[in-house]
Amino acid sequence: MSAINLTIDGQQVEVEPGTTILQAAEKLGIDIPTFCYDPDLTRNAACRMCVVEVEKARALVASCSAPVAPDMVVHTETERTRKAREIILRLILANHYLDCVTCEKTGECKLQDYCYRYGISSSDFVGATKELSLDDTNPFFVRDMNKCLLCGRCVGKCQNVNGAGAIDFTQRGFKSNVGTPFGDPIENSTCDFCGMCIEACPVGALVPKSRIGRGRPWEIEKVKTICPYCSTGCSLELHVNIESDSEEEMVIDATADEEAPVNQGRICARGSFGWDFIHNEHRLTMPLVKQDGVFVEVEWEEALEIIAEKLQELKINFGDDSLGGLVSSRLSNEEIYLFQKLLRSWGTNNVDHISHYHYSSSPHTTEALFKSGVMGSDIDDLNNADLIMVVNSHLASSHPVLNYRLREAARNGTKVIAINPEEQDDADPAHLYISPEIGADEFLLNGLINVIIAENIAQGEGAKDSAVFEDIKKAVSKNTAEQVEKVTGVSVSDIQEAARSYANAERPLILFDSANFKKGSGLKGVRAMLRLAAVAGKNSGPPAGVNFLPDFNNSQGACLMGALPNFLPSLQSIEDNKARESFSKAWATELNAQPGLTAQEMIEQAFKGTLQGMFIAGENPVVESSEQDYVVEALQNIEFLVVQDLFLTETAQHADVVLPAAAFAEKLGTYINVEGRVQLSYPALEPPEDAMPGSEILANLADYLGMDWSSFLMEDVFREMASLSSALEGMNYEQLGCVNNPVAKDSWQDILQEIDNGLAAEDEKGLKLLEDVELNFPYATGKGKGSMAFQLAEINNRAL
């Protein structure tokens, strides 16, 4: 159907069919007042603030829900519309607390803005008013329902975006309210405290406790950063009270970045409220050196001198491989890259990240996961799939925002099959929940393959006469539905339904996370998933295939930046002469060709007393391991232990030197999310006192160790990484960032000046530069494609 032309306030606009009047007005930059409207929610036209006058229409029209029509003529600010809005505002004020002077929402309250816009200061409507008690029992936010407009945005977010369904409209008429079933406290409901309802509230009915008394909106700066928790890689906006006289500069709130392509305005409890550790009173602020069993604060120079001296002693007395390094998958790509570069330049490949405690003791397992099993589909494909199978995973706790998308897909008709030995949780949206015995998932999955082959519903290329198909057929021949029922406890009917549903789906996905290695059959189960996809013909897409969801926010970055004992950055084998020579040349040092120790092997060697030194950055293996006493004894056996962290963790307590590091909100860097998207995170604050970003710590230590690192500025580190890693090839901070990028501030000033000069002269180059900036910033990022094959940002070859 062709585009529709209409006129709004004398301006002509062309839009697609199905566009609402409100959306068409937004395209022209015309601001129509709204309370209940949210682009993510179903249009309910409840508040009526958005009414407009349409020529030839008998009554005013709610612009948020009314579709455009050819040659329609709309007037948004007429005497009729103004009077209608004034009446609505007076009706609201008749039953609304007017404590605007002290209200935390002052400055960003839609009710205040519209009252100011239409000159409404009081109400002439008299009658009963609500007298509801203030609810401040929740640890995260305050609920003052006397200020609630009943716009329904919070309900819509809870029901349709999060899918928790914790709140809804209660009672009727004057007693109408928003609350939980039976009026129970919110913490006793299905609420998972994502915080999206708070952000959706247009007035002061919902306010996060962290913001109370800590600055007005005009005193707050919002800084884009990447959530430090799971591998979804949500983009957040940290709110910093930069101009408040009552408090030191600090983060006081976090909200979802509405424009981010990953989470699209969604956020979970960890993102909303899990940032307060930044200001914890127990943060390390000075280097610590253990003297006679007691930690003593020292200056950086002394701490680095001690580390350099002790490492030199270990090297002389025990050789290069006497040192091992363990780095966190939560650190930035730049920090991880410099960490493994430091260890390898020192002469050892004993470098790993903690994920091996969750996956396997073998780095080849990680290679298999991150080369073939990692999420080859995009996050958006969750909404395009017609069947999603979740194996041994509880996404509501491991990847909450992905679970919102899973719930949304289920509501829209996508069939969800969950295979999990645990009891079904209310947060699981599964249509078919299969609960086999712990560790029996491989046998069950082979049973699904058996059913597909037996019923001849396989669609894969291997379903003809290939040797691979015959091998799989032979391997699963004993996994009949009846035999699987005996072994796993899953009924024959459920086995058959799952197999048939998967084989007959056009666009199925299989999702699993590290829980598969804890309560499932591990890599054997992963292989069974891959065989199931291959036999059913679902191993290509998108959306299709088997998708691994790593635990941490930069698990993919840890592998791709070389935090593996036998792989250099981009998963290039340390035994590959060409790859090793390339890095040796770039780093001006001869690299060791012998693969190093895994995380578990380092702990084992430390326990035996054959590993004399360890450098642990951002990790806490004492807590991560299921054998804590064993790890503690291993750390105690180490002759020299250095720990870099934010706190004096259970692991740091056994260190000889502890180095204070910066938190995610205090440093610049990039992270790679579950779909392979490279994202730039900005610092919102300075680190406390003498704490430093890990990149600076490593660069300073390299200097004390006699390594010639010419620069440790983040843009220089990223440039070096991109030159040596195919995962980042062609990327730079300007592409990954936006115009307020503090790193590229000077170059951006030049670009903007060039744009201004070009526009002033109506120069074509200036117009082209402006188009590039508007279209591709701030999210022109690389995205995952297939088996971790990165496609470059669209603007890769454009002149900036």
Side-chain angles (χ1 to χ4, degrees):
M1 190 174 179
S2 59
I4 293 176
N5 291 285
L6 69 154
T7 303
I8 305 178
D9 291 346
Q11 301 182 61
Q12 290 191 341
V13 62
E14 183 178 270
V15 295
E16 295 297 317
T19 303
T20 64
I21 296 173
L22 179 63
Q23 291 169 331
E26 288 176 341
K27 187 174 181 180
L28 291 171
I30 297 172
D31 178 32
I32 298 176
T34 64
F35 281 127
C36 68
Y37 172 76
D38 187 294
D40 292 332
L41 304 178
T42 303
R43 319 306 188 232
N44 58 14
C47 71
R48 314 303 292 181
M49 276 296 291
C50 68
V51 291
V52 295
E53 194 167 352
V54 177
E55 290 188 6
K56 299 181 181 179
R58 291 182 299 172
L60 295 178
V61 175
S63 62
C64 72
S65 60
V68 297
D71 302 322
M72 177 183 279
V73 179
V74 180
H75 304 281
T76 67
E77 287 286 342
T78 65
E79 185 177 354
R80 287 181 70 194
T81 60
R82 290 184 65 89
K83 284 184 177 180
R85 291 168 189 162
E86 289 172 6
I87 291 172
I88 292 169
L89 292 172
R90 289 193 177 97
L91 284 169
I92 292 173
L93 292 186
N95 191 26
H96 189 88
Y97 277 15
L98 296 178
D99 57 346
C100 301
V101 176
T102 57
C103 181
E104 290 296 329
K105 203 74 172 184
T106 292
E108 55 184 4
C109 171
K110 281 196 170 186
L111 180 59
Q112 287 184 15
D113 293 342
Y114 296 151
C115 285
Y116 181 84
R117 177 170 171 176
Y118 293 103
I120 306 299
S121 59
S122 61
S123 176
D124 49 6
F125 294 105
V126 179
T129 58
K130 292 181 180 179
E131 295 290 341
L132 302 173
S133 59
L134 185 74
D135 182 4
D136 63 352
T137 58
N138 187 274
F140 302 123
F141 55 88
V142 174
R143 299 172 70 237
D144 186 353
M145 303 315 291
N146 294 297
K147 297 179 181 178
C148 178
L149 304 181
L150 297 177
C151 68
R153 291 175 64 176
C154 61
V155 173
K157 291 288 186 181
C158 190
Q159 299 278 355
N160 302 321
V161 178
N162 177 301
I167 57 174
D168 205 337
F169 290 106
T170 64
Q171 304 190 65
R172 307 175 75 175
F174 178 74
K175 294 183 178 180
S176 293
N177 198 8
V178 173
T180 60
F182 310 108
D184 290 339
I186 190 74
E187 46 270 32
N188 294 343
S189 70
T190 55
C191 174
D192 56 17
F193 304 104
C194 68
M196 286 190 283
C197 59
I198 302 173
E199 183 65 13
C201 183
V203 290
L206 297 171
V207 176
K209 288 186 174 180
S210 59
R211 284 194 59 164
I212 296 176
R214 288 179 171 168
R216 295 298 195 182
W218 54 87
E219 299 174 321
I220 295 171
E221 179 182 35
K222 296 181 181 180
V223 181
K224 295 183 187 296
T225 188
I226 305 301
C227 181
Y229 290 100
C230 77
S231 61
T232 305
C234 294
S235 180
L236 309 179
E237 289 189 333
L238 297 181
H239 300 216
V240 183
N241 60 336
I242 57 174
E243 297 181 11
S244 176
D245 295 330
S246 60
E247 296 274 0
E248 64 179 15
E249 191 170 302
M250 63 188 300
V251 175
I252 62 172
D253 196 10
T255 54
D257 182 355
E258 295 291 338
E259 299 175 351
V262 173
N263 48 314
Q264 300 174 352
R266 298 170 174 88
I267 194 171
C268 74
R270 287 176 290 188
S272 287
F273 307 110
W275 47 264
D276 59 342
F277 67 88
I278 299 169
H279 303 296
N280 190 287
E281 60 182 346
H282 298 297
R283 281 284 301 273
L284 296 173
T285 58
M286 292 284 290
L288 302 176
V289 173
K290 190 172 287 182
Q291 298 177 0
D292 298 324
V294 179
F295 283 115
V296 177
E297 290 187 352
V298 299
E299 297 296 327
W300 273 102
E301 292 78 5
E302 182 178 348
L304 294 174
E305 285 175 1
I306 292 172
I307 295 172
E309 181 181 334
K310 292 295 294 184
L311 293 186
Q312 291 284 3
E313 288 180 9
L314 294 180
K315 193 182 184 85
I316 294 171
N317 296 332
F318 303 102
D320 295 341
D321 285 328
S322 60
L323 177 66
L326 195 57
V327 66
S328 173
S329 307
R330 297 193 189 281
L331 299 185
S332 68
N333 290 319
E334 291 79 358
E335 291 171 305
I336 294 170
Y337 172 83
L338 290 178
F339 184 88
Q340 60 88 34
K341 177 182 177 182
L342 180 74
L343 271 289
R344 290 198 159 99
S345 298
W346 188 245
T348 183
N349 290 313
N350 296 336
V351 57
D352 204 354
H353 60 288
I354 206 68
S355 293
H356 280 163
Y357 276 118
H358 303 296
Y359 309 147
S360 168
S361 61
S362 170
H364 294 285
T365 300
T366 301
E367 178 192 17
L369 292 174
F370 281 86
K371 274 192 171 181
S372 60
V374 83
M375 191 170 185
S377 302
D378 290 342
I379 290 175
D380 286 343
D381 287 332
L382 292 175
N383 295 107
N384 298 325
D386 57 353
L387 181 142
I388 300 173
M389 183 180 291
V390 184
V391 181
N392 287 323
S393 303
H394 184 55
L395 300 189
S397 57
S398 66
H399 295 77
V401 171
L402 292 188
N403 196 59
Y404 304 160
R405 303 290 285 269
L406 189 66
R407 290 170 175 169
E408 182 182 4
R411 290 195 302 271
N412 292 334
T414 299
K415 184 165 186 176
V416 177
I417 299 175
I419 299 175
N420 200 316
E422 298 176 351
E423 293 184 6
Q424 184 170 8
D425 189 278
D426 290 338
D428 290 322
H431 299 94
L432 176 61
Y433 199 92
I434 298 175
S435 183
E437 297 291 331
I438 293 177
D441 53 296
E442 180 196 12
F443 201 84
L444 172 65
L445 291 164
N446 285 337
L448 303 187
I449 299 172
N450 182 291
V451 171
I452 291 173
I453 294 174
E455 297 187 1
N456 196 28
I457 51 177
Q459 301 173 26
E461 293 181 2
K464 305 302 180 183
D465 296 309
S466 73
V468 174
F469 179 78
E470 289 302 321
D471 288 344
I472 295 175
K473 181 178 180 179
K474 183 178 180 181
V476 303
S477 60
K478 296 181 180 180
N479 295 74
T480 63
E482 291 76 17
Q483 186 61 29
V484 171
E485 181 181 48
K486 293 178 182 179
V487 174
T488 66
V490 178
S491 69
V492 170
S493 61
D494 283 351
I495 296 167
Q496 292 174 337
E497 181 183 350
R500 293 165 184 166
S501 297
Y502 184 77
N504 292 321
E506 294 182 4
R507 303 178 305 280
L509 287 174
I510 296 178
L511 303 176
F512 73 99
D513 59 24
S514 68
N516 184 74
F517 298 88
K518 301 172 186 175
K519 57 189 177 185
S521 53
L523 194 57
K524 292 181 179 179
V526 177
R527 288 171 180 161
M529 296 179 217
L530 293 170
R531 284 188 305 216
L532 173 63
V535 166
K538 313 299 182 182
N539 55 343
S540 62
V546 180
N547 300 273
F548 173 52
L549 309 177
D551 280 347
F552 306 120
N553 64 320
N554 205 25
S555 291
Q556 293 215 50
C559 293
L560 292 171
M561 293 303 106
L564 290 169
N566 58 341
F567 291 101
L568 292 160
S570 284
L571 293 174
Q572 301 175 70
S573 173
I574 191 67
E575 298 176 280
D576 184 321
N577 292 334
K578 185 177 180 181
R580 193 174 62 257
E581 289 171 5
S582 175
F583 282 90
S584 295
K585 182 179 180 181
W587 296 345
T589 186
E590 192 66 29
L591 297 185
N592 188 342
Q594 182 66 34
L597 302 173
T598 67
Q600 289 189 7
E601 289 169 343
M602 279 187 264
I603 296 298
E604 290 170 2
Q605 294 300 316
F607 184 83
K608 295 176 182 178
T610 54
L611 186 71
Q612 284 73 31
M614 280 196 77
F615 184 2
I616 300 177
E619 278 299 357
N620 193 1
V622 172
V623 172
E624 291 288 344
S625 174
S626 59
E627 300 176 305
Q628 294 189 5
D629 293 340
Y630 176 82
V631 175
V632 167
E633 188 170 347
L635 297 178
Q636 291 173 341
N637 288 342
I638 294 175
E639 186 167 327
F640 186 65
L641 174 62
V642 180
V643 173
Q644 169 190 310
D645 216 316
L646 277 66
F647 299 95
L648 192 63
T649 63
E650 292 84 351
T651 297
Q653 291 171 18
H654 301 284
D656 296 287
V657 179
V658 181
L659 305 177
F664 79 101
E666 300 159 353
K667 60 189 178 186
L668 184 72
T670 58
Y671 301 85
I672 302 176
N673 83 330
V674 66
E675 59 182 350
R677 185 184 295 271
V678 182
Q679 300 184 99
L680 183 60
S681 181
Y682 298 99
L685 301 166
E686 292 292 328
E689 297 186 33
D690 279 8
M692 286 187 191
S695 54
E696 292 186 36
I697 295 174
L698 293 164
N700 287 329
L701 178 56
D703 187 47
Y704 275 81
L705 292 172
M707 300 177 189
D708 183 19
W709 289 9
S710 59
S711 173
F712 60 86
L713 293 176
M714 286 295 90
E715 61 265 46
D716 294 330
V717 175
F718 190 88
R719 192 176 296 114
E720 179 179 315
M721 289 159 49
S723 70
L724 296 168
S725 172
S726 60
L728 305 175
E729 185 180 355
M731 297 183 188
N732 56 57
Y733 271 10
E734 286 79 10
Q735 289 178 339
L736 299 175
C738 56
V739 293
N740 63 352
N741 183 342
V743 172
K745 183 177 179 181
D746 293 337
S747 61
W748 268 110
Q749 292 296 330
D750 295 338
I751 292 172
L752 294 176
Q753 186 61 55
E754 189 174 358
I755 290 172
D756 289 341
N757 294 340
L759 291 177
E762 296 187 355
D763 179 69
E764 189 173 322
K765 183 180 180 182
L767 294 169
K768 183 66 168 61
L769 280 168
L770 180 62
E771 180 185 3
D772 286 348
V773 171
E774 289 180 340
L775 290 179
N776 297 294
F777 289 88
Y779 295 109
T781 60
K783 290 189 65 179
K785 181 181 179 182
S787 300
M788 287 306 297
F790 282 76
Q791 62 180 18
L792 301 182
E794 290 182 2
I795 59 170
N796 182 33
N797 297 317
R798 296 185 182 178
L800 292 174

